[in-house]
Amino acid sequence: MNRTGKLAYNAAVVIAAAAAAMGIGAIVLAAVGADIFKAYAVILTEPLKDMIGLTEIVVRAVPLSLIAMGIAIAFRSGILNIGAEGQMLMGILASSATAIACASLPKPVLIPLAILAGAAGGAAWGGIAGALKARLGVNEILSTVMLNYIAAQFYTFLLRGPLMDPEELLTGSGTPQTVRMPRSAWLDRLLPGTRLHSGVFIALGLAVVVFLLLWRTSTGFRMRAAGAEAKAARYAGVKVQRYLVLAMLLSGAFAGMAGAVEILGVHRRAIEGVSGGYGFTGIVVALFGGLHPAGIIPASLFFGLLLLGADMTQRLADVPANMVLVLQGAIILAIVSARQFMSNPYVQDKVARACAKMFRRPPPPAPPGSIEACPDPSDSVDPCLVGEDSAVGDSSAVGDNPAAGEGSVKKRGTR
Amino acid sequence: MGHEPIRSLELRGITKRFPGILACDHIDLSVGEHSVRALVGENGAGKTTLMNILMGLYQPDEGRILINGRDVRFRSPNDAFDHGIGMVHQHFMLVQNMTVAENVALGMKSSHRSFRLDIAAVRKRILEVSERHELPVNPDALVWQLSVGEQQRVELVKTLCLGARFLILDEPTSALTPQETDELISLLQKMSSELSIVFISHKLHEVKALSDTVSILRRGKIVFEGRTENHSPADLAALMTGHEVELPRVDSGSAARGGAPGLLSIRELRVKGDRGNLALDGVSLEIAPGEIVGLAGVSGNGQRELAEALNGLRPVESGSIRLDGAELAGGSAGDVIREGMGYIPEDRNTEGIVPSFSVKENLVLKDIGGKEWSAGGFLRLGAIADNAKALRERFDIRCPSTDTAAGSLSGGNIQKVILARELARGPKALVAVYPTRGLDMGAEEFIHKQLLARRSEGVAILLISEELEEIMNLSDRIAVIYKGAILKVVPGKDATKRSLGLLMAGVADE
């Protein structure tokens, strides 16, 4: 399969997975007695009908893409970070505490400072899981999930205690939230009457940074090598443990920045429920986007649409907004299984043959396949040798003819 | 079980396709009763695929299987077992922490009662079989405690206990010592009076010793079929590869390097194994520049630990490793690489390359941070691509493009990628572990020539191998390792297979 063919194939996989997920969702919608078509129509089109809808999609996509990029860094480096939710909360705490404490600083200093503080908070939380994995071999899935719980409780404790807005206690309703951020820490709103904020540029800029880091620097090269085959990386002199910790620090930093940007751009104070499951949805966005910034940006917009649309279904189609969670789960299952199935070179080959037949073109050369899909790597024919003429063997040979090698090529050609 | 005996087994027009590969191309093969058929061919010729089809592990795209003239269809290995066909795989299929009897019981459905396992019946059957075929096996031994040769016997007993009357052996001698190989061959000769055997191998002297008839596969086709006795190993080799093969040999006559100070010098090295035991106990070895020292030994006697310790991948308890005067013991893998050590690791797919990385990325895996491939932390993609283009040509790496995932290449080409990377770095010393394991003769020839070329350039080479022929062909001196210590070092030209075989078994004095 050539490059475009491969891209088209991958896109087809994603679309097929989305369709399958929709199918599963339809069953659930039917079970709760909702109008399936109306529900989907609302989810997919309603948010696109006005400017507020469009900007709200982007507002949701900003933290989603930031988190997803952090998760992509971790996944590419061979560590499964499920802890973005907790890392985001720690980032929010660090960021808002910094912004409130340093309220007197001018805007060009305070905003970067607050965002970096968020990054540091997230990185610290992610780094714990990374260090545990590197030093003691603690499974990162367990540790990040458990750290999520700790972060959630810690966040609630601070918001209801030390960091709570004193006004709320004296005169207000006792809502657990911090004081308002100083104005100098606010990210600018870009369009009047909407919540679209300048965090969108931060997300786009960091997408470029992530791409450069992973695919254009020697650090990224080593991280990807450690993730793809830790043993080979170690044998090549890469300090795998060190890159593991680095990957978790970066991954946590991105989740922390997502929290900081969300607070400084949208809410302007730390409130409860601010993460809203972004940390988990971000994992889906990262997978859906193929663990690559160029895929994550559109994927985050798509999930922004889904999240917003789901809120609207409650109002317009009388379907609970939690339905979107069902859809998300279905999408994860569909994507993961589709990838497992479709990445099999045997399947790819069949598809390529079928396509070639359809368009009456000679079949493309063998796709590079993963080794596990090959029956026995040490005993499979070298694809590069197939096209060669073999030397003629002993004349007494049975069933041999001068065109032995060529013959096999011809057979493939006509298929 | 309880089926009729196999009087004849026939494959007709078997064809199997894998992505971009025609693994089996209309293969016809028939095997009669009480005969030993050798199936030989280079890697990737389709031998294993063909046998996996016969075992029901793969479904053929075209073709039929006939037993006693009747069509059969195997949907799974169980169907093949039911017809009395059994296979001993190249890599043993044994659960290491179970006993022999438990391993046999796994496949013996007749011993599975509704809520318990009739282990007594299994044990009885094992003893029956082992007596009948003179295969001594202790049913209560734990598999991990057994030697490789004993495990091989367990595999045979297991297959026979399941009622196999038709045995397929996939490279059964690849892990055995010369003595164990001889034992196995005489055992199989005796068994062939009762069974039919298909024997996959590319060791031609074994084929000569054991088989009645031989079929040679090349690129998915049978290119030769005939009686073994009428053809010499050299004839068979030529048929197998399509050209005359002559493996290069070292010429170590002139230079006497016995007492010269080593470029790579290992002194009193002690290293712990994975289980905390002392895997290397006081190993000392000097390798002079331009010298190949072969390390012979049955695998598991400390070779892996030695290679890892030399390359900074395993902590050194005591002793020293000096490369050109620099101390390597205690250094990291990166330190060792920077000192100019080259390494061809044992497992090329997981230690030698990152399979999902492209060929060109794998070619710079070790030096990616260096000035040559990166500037200011950013990769020099142009230089990396040029490097790959040059090395691909120089080392004859056959790949669709240098952007191809290295893991999708054949074993021989993966090994060439590793070799190209290691040799292009201009190493002072090279540790090559089983460099041609599982490769065909063409690739073997290429790799041997490369090693000899490096030798004449003054590289100190430690060649670790189980192939005595390889070691004897290439080594100036041969060291035999046994239970973590060097038993003896002999000059390469004085070594014989017999003397090395005895040393490998731990017998120091003849």
Side-chain angles (χ1 to χ4, degrees), chain B residues 2 62 89 92 96 98 100-101 108 166 169 173 177 196 204 212 228 247 305 336 344 406-407 467 482 486:
Chain B
E62 289 166 37
H89 292 267
F92 301 151
Q96 291 288 318
M98 282 189 172
V100 171
M108 243 173 98
F166 189 102
L169 306 173
T173 60
T177 60
S196 307
L204 296 171
D212 309 321
T228 316
L247 291 174
E305 288 80 2
V336 175
I344 298 173
E467 294 288 336
Y482 180 73
I486 303 287

PDB file of all heavy atoms in Angstrom, chain B residues 2 62 89 92 96 98 100-101 108 166 169 173 177 196 204 212 228 247 305 336 344 406-407 467 482 486:
ATOM      1  N   GLY B   2      -8.057 -43.830  17.982  1.00  0.00           N
ATOM      2  CA  GLY B   2      -8.916 -44.904  17.539  1.00  0.00           C
ATOM      3  C   GLY B   2      -9.249 -44.776  16.067  1.00  0.00           C
ATOM      4  O   GLY B   2     -10.315 -45.179  15.615  1.00  0.00           O
ATOM      5  N   GLU B  62      -5.511 -22.963  -1.631  1.00  0.00           N
ATOM      6  CA  GLU B  62      -5.930 -23.939  -2.637  1.00  0.00           C
ATOM      7  C   GLU B  62      -5.302 -25.267  -2.266  1.00  0.00           C
ATOM      8  O   GLU B  62      -4.323 -25.314  -1.544  1.00  0.00           O
ATOM      9  CB  GLU B  62      -5.402 -23.549  -4.036  1.00  0.00           C
ATOM     10  CG  GLU B  62      -6.058 -22.347  -4.661  1.00  0.00           C
ATOM     11  CD  GLU B  62      -5.245 -21.842  -5.847  1.00  0.00           C
ATOM     12  OE1 GLU B  62      -4.686 -22.676  -6.587  1.00  0.00           O
ATOM     13  OE2 GLU B  62      -5.171 -20.622  -6.020  1.00  0.00           O
ATOM     14  N   HIS B  89       7.468 -28.855  17.460  1.00  0.00           N
ATOM     15  CA  HIS B  89       7.849 -27.563  16.906  1.00  0.00           C
ATOM     16  C   HIS B  89       9.294 -27.241  17.233  1.00  0.00           C
ATOM     17  O   HIS B  89       9.873 -27.758  18.181  1.00  0.00           O
ATOM     18  CB  HIS B  89       6.935 -26.469  17.458  1.00  0.00           C
ATOM     19  CG  HIS B  89       5.531 -26.591  16.966  1.00  0.00           C
ATOM     20  ND1 HIS B  89       5.066 -25.939  15.864  1.00  0.00           N
ATOM     21  CD2 HIS B  89       4.497 -27.335  17.431  1.00  0.00           C
ATOM     22  CE1 HIS B  89       3.807 -26.256  15.668  1.00  0.00           C
ATOM     23  NE2 HIS B  89       3.433 -27.099  16.608  1.00  0.00           N
ATOM     24  N   PHE B  92      10.056 -25.360  21.694  1.00  0.00           N
ATOM     25  CA  PHE B  92       9.271 -26.334  22.432  1.00  0.00           C
ATOM     26  C   PHE B  92       7.997 -25.704  22.974  1.00  0.00           C
ATOM     27  O   PHE B  92       7.982 -24.587  23.458  1.00  0.00           O
ATOM     28  CB  PHE B  92      10.077 -26.897  23.602  1.00  0.00           C
ATOM     29  CG  PHE B  92      11.346 -27.564  23.169  1.00  0.00           C
ATOM     30  CD1 PHE B  92      12.446 -27.594  23.991  1.00  0.00           C
ATOM     31  CD2 PHE B  92      11.434 -28.150  21.918  1.00  0.00           C
ATOM     32  CE1 PHE B  92      13.622 -28.202  23.580  1.00  0.00           C
ATOM     33  CE2 PHE B  92      12.596 -28.761  21.494  1.00  0.00           C
ATOM     34  CZ  PHE B  92      13.702 -28.786  22.330  1.00  0.00           C
ATOM     35  N   GLN B  96       6.707 -24.439  31.308  1.00  0.00           N
ATOM     36  CA  GLN B  96       7.946 -24.648  32.043  1.00  0.00           C
ATOM     37  C   GLN B  96       7.714 -25.056  33.501  1.00  0.00           C
ATOM     38  O   GLN B  96       8.442 -25.874  34.024  1.00  0.00           O
ATOM     39  CB  GLN B  96       8.795 -23.371  31.999  1.00  0.00           C
ATOM     40  CG  GLN B  96       9.356 -23.070  30.617  1.00  0.00           C
ATOM     41  CD  GLN B  96      10.473 -24.015  30.220  1.00  0.00           C
ATOM     42  OE1 GLN B  96      11.323 -24.333  31.030  1.00  0.00           O
ATOM     43  NE2 GLN B  96      10.458 -24.480  28.986  1.00  0.00           N
ATOM     44  N   MET B  98       5.319 -26.725  34.889  1.00  0.00           N
ATOM     45  CA  MET B  98       4.483 -27.898  35.131  1.00  0.00           C
ATOM     46  C   MET B  98       5.353 -29.148  34.992  1.00  0.00           C
ATOM     47  O   MET B  98       6.418 -29.108  34.378  1.00  0.00           O
ATOM     48  CB  MET B  98       3.372 -27.975  34.081  1.00  0.00           C
ATOM     49  CG  MET B  98       2.214 -27.047  34.321  1.00  0.00           C
ATOM     50  SD  MET B  98       0.941 -27.501  33.125  1.00  0.00           S
ATOM     51  CE  MET B  98      -0.394 -26.506  33.684  1.00  0.00           C
ATOM     52  N   VAL B 100       6.238 -33.049  33.667  1.00  0.00           N
ATOM     53  CA  VAL B 100       6.122 -33.706  32.367  1.00  0.00           C
ATOM     54  C   VAL B 100       4.723 -34.285  32.194  1.00  0.00           C
ATOM     55  O   VAL B 100       4.068 -34.081  31.163  1.00  0.00           O
ATOM     56  CB  VAL B 100       7.194 -34.805  32.250  1.00  0.00           C
ATOM     57  CG1 VAL B 100       6.968 -35.647  31.005  1.00  0.00           C
ATOM     58  CG2 VAL B 100       8.582 -34.192  32.239  1.00  0.00           C
ATOM     59  N   ALA B 101       4.246 -34.974  33.230  1.00  0.00           N
ATOM     60  CA  ALA B 101       2.925 -35.606  33.128  1.00  0.00           C
ATOM     61  C   ALA B 101       1.833 -34.560  32.917  1.00  0.00           C
ATOM     62  O   ALA B 101       0.925 -34.742  32.115  1.00  0.00           O
ATOM     63  CB  ALA B 101       2.640 -36.418  34.387  1.00  0.00           C
ATOM     64  N   MET B 108      -4.097 -34.459  26.348  1.00  0.00           N
ATOM     65  CA  MET B 108      -4.745 -35.774  26.371  1.00  0.00           C
ATOM     66  C   MET B 108      -6.164 -35.655  26.865  1.00  0.00           C
ATOM     67  O   MET B 108      -6.440 -35.764  28.057  1.00  0.00           O
ATOM     68  CB  MET B 108      -3.923 -36.719  27.264  1.00  0.00           C
ATOM     69  CG  MET B 108      -3.354 -37.895  26.498  1.00  0.00           C
ATOM     70  SD  MET B 108      -2.242 -38.823  27.538  1.00  0.00           S
ATOM     71  CE  MET B 108      -3.344 -40.129  28.058  1.00  0.00           C
ATOM     72  N   PHE B 166       2.265 -40.342  12.822  1.00  0.00           N
ATOM     73  CA  PHE B 166       2.888 -39.612  11.725  1.00  0.00           C
ATOM     74  C   PHE B 166       3.496 -38.365  12.346  1.00  0.00           C
ATOM     75  O   PHE B 166       2.782 -37.488  12.807  1.00  0.00           O
ATOM     76  CB  PHE B 166       1.813 -39.240  10.696  1.00  0.00           C
ATOM     77  CG  PHE B 166       2.364 -38.687   9.426  1.00  0.00           C
ATOM     78  CD1 PHE B 166       2.447 -39.474   8.288  1.00  0.00           C
ATOM     79  CD2 PHE B 166       2.797 -37.378   9.354  1.00  0.00           C
ATOM     80  CE1 PHE B 166       2.957 -38.959   7.117  1.00  0.00           C
ATOM     81  CE2 PHE B 166       3.321 -36.865   8.190  1.00  0.00           C
ATOM     82  CZ  PHE B 166       3.397 -37.653   7.064  1.00  0.00           C
ATOM     83  N   LEU B 169       8.744 -33.163  12.466  1.00  0.00           N
ATOM     84  CA  LEU B 169       9.754 -32.577  13.349  1.00  0.00           C
ATOM     85  C   LEU B 169      10.319 -31.335  12.678  1.00  0.00           C
ATOM     86  O   LEU B 169      10.909 -31.425  11.602  1.00  0.00           O
ATOM     87  CB  LEU B 169      10.883 -33.575  13.603  1.00  0.00           C
ATOM     88  CG  LEU B 169      10.458 -34.955  14.121  1.00  0.00           C
ATOM     89  CD1 LEU B 169      11.641 -35.886  14.157  1.00  0.00           C
ATOM     90  CD2 LEU B 169       9.852 -34.823  15.501  1.00  0.00           C
ATOM     91  N   THR B 173      16.978 -30.441  15.826  1.00  0.00           N
ATOM     92  CA  THR B 173      18.314 -30.457  16.419  1.00  0.00           C
ATOM     93  C   THR B 173      18.869 -29.062  16.666  1.00  0.00           C
ATOM     94  O   THR B 173      20.003 -28.916  17.099  1.00  0.00           O
ATOM     95  CB  THR B 173      19.291 -31.200  15.504  1.00  0.00           C
ATOM     96  OG1 THR B 173      19.333 -30.524  14.243  1.00  0.00           O
ATOM     97  CG2 THR B 173      18.877 -32.626  15.281  1.00  0.00           C
ATOM     98  N   THR B 177      23.289 -30.281  21.565  1.00  0.00           N
ATOM     99  CA  THR B 177      24.731 -30.432  21.387  1.00  0.00           C
ATOM    100  C   THR B 177      24.969 -31.519  20.343  1.00  0.00           C
ATOM    101  O   THR B 177      24.063 -32.290  20.019  1.00  0.00           O
ATOM    102  CB  THR B 177      25.400 -30.904  22.695  1.00  0.00           C
ATOM    103  OG1 THR B 177      24.833 -32.164  23.048  1.00  0.00           O
ATOM    104  CG2 THR B 177      25.192 -29.917  23.812  1.00  0.00           C
ATOM    105  N   SER B 196       5.817 -42.914  10.513  1.00  0.00           N
ATOM    106  CA  SER B 196       6.275 -42.121   9.378  1.00  0.00           C
ATOM    107  C   SER B 196       6.763 -40.790   9.937  1.00  0.00           C
ATOM    108  O   SER B 196       6.157 -40.245  10.853  1.00  0.00           O
ATOM    109  CB  SER B 196       5.142 -41.858   8.405  1.00  0.00           C
ATOM    110  OG  SER B 196       4.530 -43.065   8.055  1.00  0.00           O
ATOM    111  N   LEU B 204      22.457 -30.431   6.391  1.00  0.00           N
ATOM    112  CA  LEU B 204      22.378 -31.470   5.373  1.00  0.00           C
ATOM    113  C   LEU B 204      22.983 -32.789   5.826  1.00  0.00           C
ATOM    114  O   LEU B 204      22.552 -33.844   5.390  1.00  0.00           O
ATOM    115  CB  LEU B 204      23.025 -30.960   4.088  1.00  0.00           C
ATOM    116  CG  LEU B 204      22.245 -29.755   3.532  1.00  0.00           C
ATOM    117  CD1 LEU B 204      22.986 -29.104   2.405  1.00  0.00           C
ATOM    118  CD2 LEU B 204      20.860 -30.180   3.080  1.00  0.00           C
ATOM    119  N   ASP B 212      15.196 -41.248   4.191  1.00  0.00           N
ATOM    120  CA  ASP B 212      15.201 -42.113   3.025  1.00  0.00           C
ATOM    121  C   ASP B 212      15.076 -41.279   1.763  1.00  0.00           C
ATOM    122  O   ASP B 212      15.768 -41.484   0.795  1.00  0.00           O
ATOM    123  CB  ASP B 212      14.014 -43.084   3.069  1.00  0.00           C
ATOM    124  CG  ASP B 212      13.942 -43.802   4.387  1.00  0.00           C
ATOM    125  OD1 ASP B 212      15.010 -44.158   4.901  1.00  0.00           O
ATOM    126  OD2 ASP B 212      12.823 -43.968   4.907  1.00  0.00           O
ATOM    127  N   THR B 228      17.710 -39.970  -0.799  1.00  0.00           N
ATOM    128  CA  THR B 228      18.792 -39.238  -0.175  1.00  0.00           C
ATOM    129  C   THR B 228      20.146 -39.841  -0.514  1.00  0.00           C
ATOM    130  O   THR B 228      21.121 -39.132  -0.729  1.00  0.00           O
ATOM    131  CB  THR B 228      18.615 -39.245   1.354  1.00  0.00           C
ATOM    132  OG1 THR B 228      17.262 -38.979   1.648  1.00  0.00           O
ATOM    133  CG2 THR B 228      19.490 -38.206   1.992  1.00  0.00           C
ATOM    134  N   LEU B 247      31.151 -21.625   2.099  1.00  0.00           N
ATOM    135  CA  LEU B 247      31.310 -20.701   3.213  1.00  0.00           C
ATOM    136  C   LEU B 247      32.790 -20.379   3.378  1.00  0.00           C
ATOM    137  O   LEU B 247      33.644 -21.256   3.273  1.00  0.00           O
ATOM    138  CB  LEU B 247      30.757 -21.330   4.488  1.00  0.00           C
ATOM    139  CG  LEU B 247      29.237 -21.490   4.494  1.00  0.00           C
ATOM    140  CD1 LEU B 247      28.785 -22.236   5.723  1.00  0.00           C
ATOM    141  CD2 LEU B 247      28.545 -20.145   4.417  1.00  0.00           C
ATOM    142  N   GLU B 305      24.819 -14.031  29.426  1.00  0.00           N
ATOM    143  CA  GLU B 305      25.246 -13.132  30.503  1.00  0.00           C
ATOM    144  C   GLU B 305      26.571 -12.465  30.140  1.00  0.00           C
ATOM    145  O   GLU B 305      26.777 -11.288  30.419  1.00  0.00           O
ATOM    146  CB  GLU B 305      25.374 -13.901  31.822  1.00  0.00           C
ATOM    147  CG  GLU B 305      24.052 -14.307  32.454  1.00  0.00           C
ATOM    148  CD  GLU B 305      23.428 -15.553  31.839  1.00  0.00           C
ATOM    149  OE1 GLU B 305      24.051 -16.148  30.930  1.00  0.00           O
ATOM    150  OE2 GLU B 305      22.323 -15.927  32.264  1.00  0.00           O
ATOM    151  N   VAL B 336      29.553   1.962  26.961  1.00  0.00           N
ATOM    152  CA  VAL B 336      30.220   0.896  26.209  1.00  0.00           C
ATOM    153  C   VAL B 336      30.162   1.198  24.717  1.00  0.00           C
ATOM    154  O   VAL B 336      31.142   1.039  23.992  1.00  0.00           O
ATOM    155  CB  VAL B 336      29.565  -0.468  26.521  1.00  0.00           C
ATOM    156  CG1 VAL B 336      30.164  -1.552  25.648  1.00  0.00           C
ATOM    157  CG2 VAL B 336      29.741  -0.807  27.991  1.00  0.00           C
ATOM    158  N   ILE B 344      26.167  -7.571  18.039  1.00  0.00           N
ATOM    159  CA  ILE B 344      25.066  -8.194  17.302  1.00  0.00           C
ATOM    160  C   ILE B 344      24.351  -9.080  18.304  1.00  0.00           C
ATOM    161  O   ILE B 344      24.828 -10.145  18.662  1.00  0.00           O
ATOM    162  CB  ILE B 344      25.602  -9.031  16.121  1.00  0.00           C
ATOM    163  CG1 ILE B 344      26.333  -8.120  15.149  1.00  0.00           C
ATOM    164  CG2 ILE B 344      24.464  -9.754  15.427  1.00  0.00           C
ATOM    165  CD1 ILE B 344      27.041  -8.849  14.042  1.00  0.00           C
ATOM    166  N   ALA B 406      11.433  -1.938   9.666  1.00  0.00           N
ATOM    167  CA  ALA B 406      12.486  -2.956   9.655  1.00  0.00           C
ATOM    168  C   ALA B 406      11.938  -4.315  10.052  1.00  0.00           C
ATOM    169  O   ALA B 406      12.408  -5.341   9.575  1.00  0.00           O
ATOM    170  CB  ALA B 406      13.620  -2.547  10.585  1.00  0.00           C
ATOM    171  N   GLY B 407      10.928  -4.329  10.923  1.00  0.00           N
ATOM    172  CA  GLY B 407      10.372  -5.595  11.383  1.00  0.00           C
ATOM    173  C   GLY B 407       9.693  -6.398  10.305  1.00  0.00           C
ATOM    174  O   GLY B 407       9.446  -7.584  10.475  1.00  0.00           O
ATOM    175  N   GLU B 467      26.756 -23.206  16.608  1.00  0.00           N
ATOM    176  CA  GLU B 467      27.078 -23.941  15.394  1.00  0.00           C
ATOM    177  C   GLU B 467      28.573 -24.201  15.369  1.00  0.00           C
ATOM    178  O   GLU B 467      29.375 -23.307  15.127  1.00  0.00           O
ATOM    179  CB  GLU B 467      26.689 -23.114  14.160  1.00  0.00           C
ATOM    180  CG  GLU B 467      25.212 -22.901  14.004  1.00  0.00           C
ATOM    181  CD  GLU B 467      24.511 -24.187  13.589  1.00  0.00           C
ATOM    182  OE1 GLU B 467      25.177 -25.062  13.007  1.00  0.00           O
ATOM    183  OE2 GLU B 467      23.318 -24.307  13.885  1.00  0.00           O
ATOM    184  N   TYR B 482      31.664 -23.597  29.884  1.00  0.00           N
ATOM    185  CA  TYR B 482      30.846 -24.629  30.511  1.00  0.00           C
ATOM    186  C   TYR B 482      30.526 -24.168  31.925  1.00  0.00           C
ATOM    187  O   TYR B 482      31.431 -23.848  32.702  1.00  0.00           O
ATOM    188  CB  TYR B 482      31.601 -25.961  30.523  1.00  0.00           C
ATOM    189  CG  TYR B 482      30.818 -27.078  31.161  1.00  0.00           C
ATOM    190  CD1 TYR B 482      29.732 -27.647  30.501  1.00  0.00           C
ATOM    191  CD2 TYR B 482      31.158 -27.559  32.411  1.00  0.00           C
ATOM    192  CE1 TYR B 482      29.011 -28.665  31.086  1.00  0.00           C
ATOM    193  CE2 TYR B 482      30.440 -28.577  33.000  1.00  0.00           C
ATOM    194  CZ  TYR B 482      29.365 -29.127  32.336  1.00  0.00           C
ATOM    195  OH  TYR B 482      28.634 -30.132  32.910  1.00  0.00           O
ATOM    196  N   ILE B 486      35.416 -20.629  31.506  1.00  0.00           N
ATOM    197  CA  ILE B 486      36.062 -21.078  30.284  1.00  0.00           C
ATOM    198  C   ILE B 486      36.800 -22.375  30.602  1.00  0.00           C
ATOM    199  O   ILE B 486      37.732 -22.398  31.409  1.00  0.00           O
ATOM    200  CB  ILE B 486      37.062 -20.022  29.765  1.00  0.00           C
ATOM    201  CG1 ILE B 486      36.354 -18.688  29.529  1.00  0.00           C
ATOM    202  CG2 ILE B 486      37.749 -20.522  28.508  1.00  0.00           C
ATOM    203  CD1 ILE B 486      35.460 -18.646  28.343  1.00  0.00           C
TER     204      ILE B 486
END
